[in-house]
Every structure is written in C-alpha cells, then in structure tokens.
Amino acid sequence: MAWLEVDRAYARSPRGALKIARTLVALATLLCFVASKAHEAYAALAGMETVITVLFLLLYLLRLDARMQCLFWPLADIFNSVIAALFLLVVCLFAIIIRTNKGTLAGGVLGLILLALCLVDAVLLCKKISLDKARGRSAPAK
C-alpha cells in the first residue's frame, strides 16, 4: 500500500531519534515499575507515555500528520510533551523519595531521564514551528 510508506528520513532525523529514545526509555521505566511491583500509578503513567509516544512516532513515520490535517499535530505533540513532563516530575520524585525497592528507584531515575527527553522534544518542536512560520508555511494558501 502506497499510503503506508515509511518516512526513513524522519527516523534518521534528530526529532525521530528523540522520539525513538523517548519510547525506549518510557518502556524501560514501565518495566522497572512493573517488575518492582511499585504503585500502580507509576506503571500507569509510564505505560501511557509509552503508548502515546509510540502513536506519535507512528504518526510521523507513516506521514499521517500530512494526511490528517484536522489537527495541528506539532502543537498537540508539544502539549503532550509538556503535560507528560509535569506528571513525570511528580510521580518520579515520589518514586525516588519513597523508593520501596531498587526497581522503584531505577524507574524513578529513568522517569527523570524521560522527563528531560520530553522537555528537549518540546523545545525542538517549538523551534520547528517557529522556523516553519518564518518561512511562510503557516500563511493561508492563495
């Protein structure tokens, strides 16, 4: 199917590499929380972040953002990154402070790394939006 063509350039780009790194770190965080039998809220947050990041990764890899123009996807991605960073800050600090076992501590530390990746992703997306606007891509078509 031609409409499910993979954008290999995105996967090699800094933004693509960052999304892949976010997915892997979120998955590792989830595995740490599940294996350590930490509070369900920790695992739920890591699981939701993994799923949402995979969905955004697929959206960009399959170029679905260009096909589904009903939403400004970079802005939705920024919103997701900022909200995820806020939740990760709270949950991972609790996991590190409480640290019922080493798995919870490892999950909390990985969650803080994921928080940093979320913030870097949001900054890169903001730069992309402002660069596209400077080039005139946001102007209405004539």
Side-chain angles (χ1 to χ4, degrees), residues 56-77:
F56 272 109
L57 180 63
L58 288 175
L59 178 87
Y60 295 130
L61 271 178
L62 300 176
R63 297 183 187 135
L64 296 174
D65 57 326
R67 299 189 196 291
M68 298 187 301
Q69 296 181 350
C70 58
L71 189 64
F72 188 55
W73 292 104
L75 188 60
D77 201 356

Side-chain angles (χ1 to χ4, degrees), residues 34-114:
V34 169
S36 68
K37 295 183 174 53
H39 194 275
E40 293 86 14
Y42 301 164
L45 177 65
M48 286 190 317
E49 182 57 26
T50 303
V51 169
I52 291 170
T53 306
V54 164
L55 290 176
F56 272 109
L57 180 63
L58 288 175
L59 178 87
Y60 295 130
L61 271 178
L62 300 176
R63 297 183 187 135
L64 296 174
D65 57 326
R67 299 189 196 291
M68 298 187 301
Q69 296 181 350
C70 58
L71 189 64
F72 188 55
W73 292 104
L75 188 60
D77 201 356
I78 290 171
F79 182 70
N80 168 57
S81 295
V82 170
I83 296 299
L86 291 173
F87 279 121
L88 285 165
L89 178 66
V90 172
V91 168
C92 292
L93 284 179
F94 274 121
I96 290 172
I97 291 169
I98 294 171
R99 66 172 175 262
T100 53
N101 55 38
K102 290 182 181 178
T104 305
L105 179 62
V109 171
L110 284 171
L112 290 179
I113 294 170
L114 181 58

Side-chain angles (χ1 to χ4, degrees), residues 8-51:
R8 295 181 199 280
Y10 177 78
R12 294 184 188 115
S13 71
R15 286 183 46 233
L18 187 60
K19 281 281 186 234
I20 293 168
R22 272 183 69 179
T23 302
L24 294 175
V25 173
L27 184 61
T29 304
L30 173 65
L31 292 175
C32 283
F33 285 146
V34 169
S36 68
K37 295 183 174 53
H39 194 275
E40 293 86 14
Y42 301 164
L45 177 65
M48 286 190 317
E49 182 57 26
T50 303
V51 169

